Amino acid sequence: MQQTHFDANKDDICAMFGNHAFEKFDEYIKREKITFYDLKTDLVFNWISTLNDKIINRINFLLNTDSHFVYIGVCNFIIMYEYWVRKGKHFHIDNDLANMLVQTDVHKVKSSLIKLPFDSTYFTVPNDLVQIELTDDEGETAYTCYAEGAYVSEIKDENNNTFLRISMFNNVRNEKNPEKKEGQISVKLLLPINEREDVFNFLERHLDEMLPLPPTKDVNDYYMKLHYRIIAKRFILLIVNSLLYLQSDKAVLEHVNVNKNKIENKKHKKKRSKRSADNSYIRIGKKVTINPSYKKVYEKLNTLDSEDNNRNQYRGQWIVRGHWRNQPYGEGLSQRKLIWIEPYVKGIGELTETQYTIK
């Protein structure tokens, strides 16, 4: 089970901003009457100026030695504070479900149909599903950029317009020195929630702005940017489809407490703290499985080379992408609900839908 971004980085936050940093920042936010929509990096620096000289001197020193490191730390602090103060919930997407959701389209899905189960959530994802390998001059893999997880929260602006703020994190691993921490790459998205916005069209516009592909003489640079764009798109679609899946009738959820089996000695049971309960998470898709005979097809068609080519065949088989149907129901068919039409494998004269195994 992957560690959340919050748990992995909270010690670094304390080292930079001091103990009880979130509590102190929360007091500042309430005093200044700041909304979640207005949480910006400048606001954090304004808050830092109100802290004691020791912290101010530490931040100034870091700014002079590595301003990029400080900027990343401040951005992380904002996202982590919102997750902390809104008592965010942790979801983990199981591998088979993630593979199917990546192969699910969001064409003609209005953003108004996306609902958050909580004010703030964090999704850990299978890190081998959204990744890119960077090779050195000798053609060997030097670095791997892989998905860590994504924060999602609902916010409103001064005009009461609703947005989903999605912050996705990718880690960079040094393959020649795996113990060395190389850093993170983040992708951020502010998705307007309304009846007008088509999710797919918005994502395409956002990617054009965030990761444009201008003509270039450097072929390697072009394909590097192209691959980053593909990964960003895949990551965003995975998170959006996960939110839609949570609303569907087919959602398979399991609440898990990672500490449940760790307490064997009865005398420790009385000492269980509230902090231990915070380690629980919600597992999505445990009982959803891909037909074993089609696993290789999914793996092959989830590679970078086959992206945007839905009929790229693997041993005569291909995946027919899933989609969402706005199904009429109720009296006079006046109501609507999203129905997930799962992706399935087609080819060699067969038409077999994804199977569900209930254990």
Side-chain angles (χ1 to χ4, degrees), residues 1 43 60 87 108 120 131 143 159 163 173 177 207 211 232 290 312 316 348 352 355:
M1 177 60 213
L43 184 67
N60 287 334
K87 298 179 173 59
K108 300 181 181 179
S120 182
Q131 69 175 17
Y143 299 93
N159 297 318
F163 299 82
R173 180 174 59 232
N177 185 6
L207 289 171
L211 296 168
I290 298 173
N312 189 345
I348 318 183
T352 305
Q355 297 179 350

Side-chain angles (χ1 to χ4, degrees), residues 306-318:
S306 66
E307 194 72 21
D308 294 328
N309 185 1
N310 299 338
R311 298 185 67 84
N312 189 345
Q313 294 193 23
Y314 173 63
R315 294 181 182 175
Q317 297 174 295
W318 64 90

Side-chain angles (χ1 to χ4, degrees), residues 70-118:
V70 174
Y71 179 77
I72 292 175
V74 169
C75 291
N76 281 349
F77 179 79
I78 292 172
I79 297 167
M80 292 168 65
Y81 161 74
E82 185 175 344
Y83 181 76
W84 172 83
V85 77
R86 303 180 82 172
K87 298 179 173 59
K89 300 297 182 181
H90 176 200
F91 290 82
H92 174 72
I93 311 170
D94 266 22
N95 189 69
D96 279 6
L97 177 63
N99 272 277
M100 288 194 282
L101 291 177
V102 163
Q103 293 288 348
T104 297
D105 286 327
V106 289
H107 285 87
K108 300 181 181 179
V109 175
K110 298 300 181 184
S111 63
S112 58
L113 295 172
I114 303 176
K115 309 293 182 185
L116 269 186
F118 301 98

Side-chain angles (χ1 to χ4, degrees), residues 158-204:
E158 65 277 5
N159 297 318
N160 208 37
N161 296 313
T162 303
F163 299 82
L164 284 189
R165 180 155 54 203
I166 305 176
S167 302
M168 293 154 285
F169 289 90
N170 294 282
N171 282 331
V172 180
R173 180 174 59 232
N174 188 325
E175 296 296 350
K176 296 184 178 180
N177 185 6
E179 300 301 320
K180 185 179 179 181
K181 189 174 181 180
E182 291 294 340
Q184 293 179 327
I185 299 172
S186 63
V187 178
K188 294 188 171 87
L189 174 72
L190 201 61
L191 175 63
I193 301 299
N194 53 50
E195 296 290 341
R196 305 179 306 277
E197 202 67 65
D198 181 283
V199 175
F200 185 84
N201 291 338
F202 178 84
L203 294 182
E204 288 292 311

